[in-house]
């Protein structure tokens, strides 16, 4: 152990959660936290294989010079002496499982450090996190960018004009409005002064609006009062438990509010609570940590325990994953950003399931649905996903594809649900499924055909060279023989039906079939050759 490193521990410790917020990806990744994310880290120490085998309570041990399996002693030492966490570097991805098992047995948290990271960098950042630990209770604050995006999304979903206020009626964020005539006096004066004008607030108090907001989670309706310059409104309290953090107001503009405004508003209030519950810096880090843990669980690189501990989830309750793919249609909406898509999905899922988590992995957006009711079924989840794709089409002009992964017994099986959701989305792209939302039973055959095509695509040696030659011939001569053969086979040999689909005369189609057989030596009267042709000719052209 480096004596200088452990000589002067900081006065104030931080939780493992706070450390992960400060370091986070891509520098370190949480592999195990058997004592939870609230375990306190009070100091940082470097442990070299040549050092005496000891640690101190509350230490973060940086196991330098001990990659992969060589880090087992550091984990056992850390567990024996009460260390909070051990950070190691992995030689290969497969080592994480055995190290995680040892860490859980030892009762010490395990962090994996990027192979190209320098230990002095990790040490410096960890010590900086300790030195900046807050000495008093955390204050409240707001991530303005996120709140403004949420206000805009809520405006799109409700068809109204949105503002988000704290409990003192101070305006925190609001949606954009292109038509100033739609905005009533109350909203205009509130935004200009960043607080509701007292005359109007007094009237709302007189009507009992604030009392109802304090007492209820339901959407409150306020009728229009033209004589006061107030248009029709909806309002809902933003809460954390029993505590009210603020209010979302939706003012009706020149068109009526949408049919599902109440539900959208309830979802928006739950999402807004995430932004109001902690001060700005911790908020951003906390959301990042939540998304990182959720993404790690979806990918199977992190087990269920860290996320369950972080969010106090019941890992033994049923769970499922919804997947969404934006596809090429994103470019059709110039003002649409991925954050707005995520906000729309977040609002819809939060309205239906309080514990829903939305995260992005690569180009896809996933909804993790932990601790579902045991009575829930796939049809219900399909309905939730369908509502999201319809909202994206109506309000954002975006064609989303949605998939419903299988309902699994607990968080530990979430990667299985995510894989199933991905299989469905892959098939929707590969074989051109027309439905916008599907579960595996809906398109079982299409999914399996998609996976067979992927296998053929990845293994050229499994293909019939005669069919490959036919596609090459068409490419060089701008021909349509391969397309004609596939259309003919898809029509079960019905010449007239195939010809009608290709807009050619039946005799033309017959000629092309004969020509394809002459060029390649294929005999389309043989069932095995027809079957292989139907599969191989569906492969995308070589690029």
């Amino acid at each position: 152990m480096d004596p200088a490193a452990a000589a002067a521990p900081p006065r104030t410790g931080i939780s493992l959660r706070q450390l992960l917020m400060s370091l986070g990806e891509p520098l370190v990744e949480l592999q195990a936290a058997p004592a939870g994310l609230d375990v306190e880290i009070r100091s940082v120490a470097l442990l070299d294989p040549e050092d005496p085998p000891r640690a101190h309570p509350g230490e973060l041990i940086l196991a330098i010079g001990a990659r992969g399996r060589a880090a087992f002693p550091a984990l056992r030492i850390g567990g024996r002496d009460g260390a909070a966490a051990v950070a190691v570097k992995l030689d290969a991805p497969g080592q994480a499982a055995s190290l995680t098992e040892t860490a859980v047995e030892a009762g010490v948290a395990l962090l994996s450090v990027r192979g190209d990271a320098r230990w002095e960098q990790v040490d410096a950042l960890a010590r900086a996190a300790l030195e900046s630990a807050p000495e008093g209770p955390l204050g409240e604050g707001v991530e303005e960018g996120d709140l403004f995006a949420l206000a805009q999304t809520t405006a799109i979903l409700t068809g109204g004009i949105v503002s988000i206020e704290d409990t003192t009626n101070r305006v925190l964020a609001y949606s954009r409005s292109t038509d100033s005539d739609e905005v009533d006096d109350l909203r205009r004066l509130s935004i200009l002064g960043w607080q509701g004008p007292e005359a109007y607030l007094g009237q709302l108090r007189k009507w009992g609006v604030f009392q109802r907001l304090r007492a209820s989670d339901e959407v409150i309706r306020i009728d229009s009062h033209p004589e006061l310059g107030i248009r029709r409104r909806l309002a809902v309290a933003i809460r954390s438990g029993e505590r009210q953090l603020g209010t979302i107001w939706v003012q009706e503009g020149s068109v009526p509010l949408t049919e599902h405004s109440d539900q959208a508003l309830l979802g928006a209030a739950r999402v807004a609570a995430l932004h109001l519950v902690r001060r700005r810096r911790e908020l951003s880090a906390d959301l990042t940590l939540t998304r990182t843990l959720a993404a790690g669980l979806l990918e199977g690189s992190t087990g269920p325990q860290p996320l369950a501990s972080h969010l106090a989830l019941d890992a033994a309750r049923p769970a499922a994953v919804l997947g969404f793919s934006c596809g090429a249609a994103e470019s059709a909406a110039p003002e649409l950003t991925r954050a707005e898509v995520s906000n729309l999905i977040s609002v819809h899922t939060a309205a239906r399931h309080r514990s829903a988590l939305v995260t992005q992995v690569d180009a896809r957006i996933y909804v993790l649905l932990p601790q579902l009711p045991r009575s829930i079924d796939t049809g219900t989840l399909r309905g939730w996903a369908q509502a999201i794709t319809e909202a994206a089409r109506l309000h954002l002009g975006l064609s989303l594809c949605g998939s419903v992964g299988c309902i699994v017994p607990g968080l530990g099986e979430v990667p299985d649900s995510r894989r199933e959701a991905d299989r469905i989305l892959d098939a929707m792209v590969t074989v051109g499924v027309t439905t916008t939302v599907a579960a595996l039973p809906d398109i079982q055959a299409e999914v399996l055909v998609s996976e067979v095509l992927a296998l053929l695509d990845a293994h050229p040696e499994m293909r019939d060279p005669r069919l490959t030659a036919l596609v090459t011939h068409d490419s060089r001569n701008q021909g349509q023989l391969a397309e004609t053969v596939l259309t003919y086979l898809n029509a079960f040999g019905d010449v007239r039906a195939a010809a009608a689909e290709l807009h050619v005369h039946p005799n033309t189609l017959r000629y092309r079939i004969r020509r394809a057989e002459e060029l390649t030596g294929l005999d389309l009267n043989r069932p095995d050759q027809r079957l292989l042709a139907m599969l191989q000719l569906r492969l995308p052209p070589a690029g």
Side-chain angles (χ1 to χ4, degrees):
M1 188 78 64
D2 179 3
R11 292 180 304 165
T12 307
I14 62 174
S15 67
L16 176 59
R17 177 185 286 104
Q18 290 170 309
L19 179 74
L20 290 168
M21 291 176 188
S22 298
L23 303 185
E25 289 192 336
L27 191 61
V28 300
E29 183 177 350
L30 179 67
Q31 299 295 337
L37 296 180
D38 292 323
V39 62
E40 185 181 23
I41 296 173
R42 297 193 291 272
S43 61
V44 183
L46 304 176
L47 180 62
D48 188 276
E50 303 299 323
D51 290 337
R54 66 172 182 267
H56 295 89
E59 276 185 341
L60 166 63
I61 299 174
L62 306 183
I64 63 174
R67 284 180 175 263
R69 295 182 178 276
F72 283 139
L75 290 169
R76 297 189 181 102
I77 291 165
R80 181 196 67 190
D81 295 343
V86 176
V88 304
K89 290 187 177 182
L90 305 178
D91 281 330
Q95 294 173 341
S98 57
L99 285 169
T100 296
E101 183 178 350
T102 301
V104 171
E105 291 175 356
V108 65
L110 172 64
L111 306 179
S112 59
V113 179
R114 278 181 59 110
D116 55 355
R118 295 182 305 180
W119 279 115
E120 56 266 34
Q121 176 190 17
V122 179
D123 181 43
L125 290 172
R127 292 179 187 278
L130 282 166
E131 291 167 2
S132 63
E135 297 182 1
L138 296 175
E140 290 183 358
V142 56
E143 186 69 44
E144 292 181 356
D146 287 337
L147 279 180
F148 275 94
L150 177 61
Q152 190 64 29
T153 299
T154 307
I156 291 171
L157 293 176
T158 61
I161 305 166
V162 175
S163 61
I164 302 174
E165 300 180 2
D166 63 15
T167 52
T168 66
N169 303 113
R170 185 172 65 93
V171 177
L172 302 175
Y174 52 87
S175 63
R176 301 183 298 271
S177 177
T178 56
D179 186 353
S180 60
D181 292 335
E182 291 189 342
V183 178
D184 66 11
D185 291 343
L186 175 54
R187 175 183 164 86
R188 183 180 296 108
L189 294 173
S190 296
I191 291 176
L192 290 176
W194 283 87
Q195 189 171 31
E198 183 54 40
Y200 288 96
L201 296 179
Q203 194 64 54
L204 293 176
R205 281 192 287 270
K206 180 179 177 182
W207 294 334
V209 173
F210 294 119
Q211 181 179 0
R212 293 166 64 193
L213 286 169
R214 285 191 296 270
S216 172
D217 289 335
E218 297 178 357
V219 174
I220 308 299
R221 299 177 178 276
I222 301 104
D223 293 333
S224 64
H225 291 270
E227 73 281 6
L228 299 175
I230 297 178
R231 295 193 181 188
R232 178 178 174 239
R233 265 176 173 67
L234 302 180
V236 68
I238 304 168
R239 295 186 183 283
S240 177
E242 296 298 318
R243 181 182 175 200
Q244 184 180 353
L245 303 176
T247 308
I248 302 181
W249 301 86
V250 179
Q251 179 221 299
E252 189 172 71
S254 58
V255 297
L257 298 176
T258 61
E259 180 182 356
H260 301 292
S261 291
D262 285 25
Q263 191 172 52
L265 202 51
L266 286 172
R270 293 172 184 173
V271 175
L274 298 174
H275 302 298
L276 297 179
V277 75
R278 294 183 178 96
R279 67 179 182 174
R280 181 186 305 238
R281 189 175 69 178
E282 175 155 329
L283 164 68
S284 177
D286 185 71
L287 290 176
T288 299
L289 176 59
T290 298
R291 289 167 184 159
T292 299
L293 293 176
L297 178 59
L298 289 170
E299 294 177 313
S301 61
T302 303
Q305 189 271 333
L307 182 65
S309 174
H310 178 52
L311 298 178
L313 299 173
D314 184 351
R317 291 267 299 277
V321 174
L322 307 180
F324 294 93
S325 174
C326 297
E330 273 187 316
S331 59
E335 297 184 4
L336 182 63
T337 65
R338 195 168 295 277
E340 286 176 313
V341 178
S342 294
N343 271 334
L344 182 145
I345 295 173
S346 296
V347 167
H348 268 269
T349 52
R352 291 162 173 81
H353 188 60
R354 187 178 296 274
S355 302
L357 298 171
V358 178
T359 192
Q360 183 179 332
V361 179
D362 297 326
R364 288 177 178 171
I365 298 173
Y366 298 92
V367 180
L368 171 58
L369 300 168
Q371 50 190 25
L372 287 167
R374 299 189 187 280
S375 60
I376 202 162
D377 58 20
T378 300
T380 300
L381 301 185
R382 188 192 293 108
W384 293 1
Q386 191 70 52
I388 289 171
T389 59
E390 289 175 0
R393 179 180 59 82
L394 290 173
H395 302 300
L396 301 179
L398 176 67
S399 296
L400 279 182
C401 292
S403 62
V404 181
C406 55
I407 299 173
V408 293
L411 281 183
E413 294 78 27
V414 157
D416 296 336
S417 184
R418 186 265 175 112
R419 278 191 289 272
E420 185 165 298
D422 276 338
R423 292 176 68 196
I424 296 164
L425 289 177
D426 290 342
M428 287 176 143
V429 173
T430 304
V431 300
V433 176
T434 56
T435 184
T436 56
V437 173
L440 186 58
D442 303 327
I443 56 169
Q444 180 90 56
E446 290 87 344
V447 168
L448 294 176
V449 168
S450 170
E451 291 170 350
V452 170
L453 292 178
L455 190 64
L456 282 174
D457 195 31
H459 294 277
E461 71 277 7
M462 295 175 58
R463 303 179 207 165
D464 188 328
R466 295 172 296 179
L467 293 167
T468 302
L470 182 63
V471 173
T472 301
H473 175 273
D474 278 352
S475 177
R476 290 175 177 171
N477 298 280
Q478 297 182 334
Q480 297 176 292
L481 297 181
E483 179 188 8
T484 299
V485 170
L486 182 58
T487 304
Y488 169 73
L489 293 174
N490 286 342
F492 302 102
D494 187 329
V495 172
R496 292 190 177 277
E501 184 172 342
L502 293 172
H503 305 291
V504 298
H505 193 276
N507 287 340
T508 301
L509 188 132
R510 292 188 184 95
Y511 168 77
R512 289 181 182 177
I513 296 297
R514 287 196 304 271
R515 179 64 175 152
E517 289 180 319
E518 291 169 0
L519 280 173
T520 61
L522 288 168
D523 182 358
L524 295 179
N525 289 317
R526 293 179 56 180
D528 53 348
Q529 294 194 23
R530 289 201 305 269
L531 175 61
L532 186 57
M534 287 187 72
L535 287 171
Q536 188 170 324
L537 293 180
R538 291 186 183 208
L539 289 175

